[in-house]
Amino acid sequence: MSKKGGQFVEVTMRVATSNILEGLLRDAPSDVTLEWIVANLRERSFGIVMLLIALAGLVPGLSPVVGILLAIPAIQMILGRSEPLVPRRLAARRISRARLRRILKRLIPVVKRLERFIRPRWTTPFEMTKRAVGFVILLLGATLLVPVPLSNIIPALAIMLLAFAFLEEDGLLLCIALAAAAVSFAITGAAIWGTIEASGL
């Protein structure tokens, strides 16, 4: 509680993403389902899911699959869902706590380093931001389907920036990420045009 204008106002402290991931690691049962992970990440689930998928998009040859996978959370963000809706069969799939621990042990230190520079600022309405980010990621995911060598790198990096901006509610980083997305669209468009011209169509 804080006092403002003679009245007490409730102040909600924002929990760092790294702390949420550490809690996930601490509270994980012996067998973990994707449904459990999404439920415990709460409003951060969209950002972390997009971040992990975007990381896979950097792997050569996986970009078409990643582009399709990205459409699932992106469309749900556009529709304003509070957390991703995972298909039942996929949601019930189990992974061991040891495997989850290995993943989080690698991810948490990276997130902590980024949190030194990425923080809540230039705040925007959360629902509006979520829908806008979802729409841009849907378009970026579509560009990952373009069969042009190395065309996956810039869209995947732009998606990672958007995911971090959304996770940390960083309006400044969001602006940078949207600029990176615009550059990515321009490069993909130029690559497609160059391929068309080279083929003589």
Side-chain angles (χ1 to χ4, degrees):
M1 292 279 187
S2 65
K3 194 171 184 180
K4 184 177 181 181
Q7 294 182 334
F8 285 100
V9 179
E10 186 175 353
V11 177
T12 303
M13 296 298 292
R14 188 177 184 280
V15 180
T17 301
S18 59
N19 290 343
I20 291 178
L21 293 176
E22 287 173 339
L24 197 71
L25 181 60
R26 182 182 62 250
D27 300 334
S30 56
D31 284 320
V32 181
T33 63
L34 184 57
E35 183 179 24
W36 182 89
I37 293 173
V38 169
N40 281 271
L41 289 174
R42 299 182 297 279
E43 72 275 4
R44 310 290 174 90
S45 53
F46 273 118
I48 292 173
V49 166
M50 291 187 301
L51 178 60
L52 293 175
I53 296 175
L55 282 170
L58 293 173
V59 179
L62 286 183
S63 54
V65 176
V66 169
I68 294 170
L69 287 176
L70 279 169
I72 299 172
I75 291 172
Q76 292 180 28
M77 289 177 74
I78 294 170
L79 295 175
R81 287 193 57 86
S82 58
E83 60 186 42
L85 178 63
V86 183
R88 184 176 298 275
R89 181 176 295 182
L90 187 60
R93 187 168 182 176
R94 296 181 179 275
I95 62 173
S96 67
R97 182 177 181 178
R99 186 176 181 185
L100 178 66
R101 185 181 183 85
R102 286 196 299 270
I103 295 170
L104 293 179
K105 282 288 187 181
R106 294 178 180 178
L107 182 60
I108 290 171
V110 175
V111 173
K112 281 188 173 181
R113 285 195 290 270
L114 289 170
E115 285 174 343
R116 298 175 187 173
F117 311 100
I118 302 171
R119 59 186 183 276
R121 54 190 164 182
W122 294 17
T123 55
T124 57
F126 184 75
E127 286 301 316
M128 184 185 300
T129 301
K130 179 168 68 176
R131 293 173 191 271
V133 169
F135 180 70
V136 175
I137 287 177
L138 182 63
L139 295 180
L140 287 169
T143 66
L144 289 171
L145 303 176
V146 177
V148 177
L150 302 178
S151 63
N152 61 307
I153 296 176
I154 295 178
L157 291 175
I159 292 166
M160 290 171 64
L161 286 176
L162 284 166
F164 273 118
F166 181 73
L167 273 171
E168 299 301 323
E169 299 179 20
D170 189 338
L172 176 59
L173 181 61
L174 179 61
C175 292
I176 295 171
L178 291 173
V183 171
S184 176
F185 292 139
I187 292 174
T188 301
I192 294 172
W193 182 253
T195 302
I196 293 173
E197 283 197 329
S199 64
L201 295 177

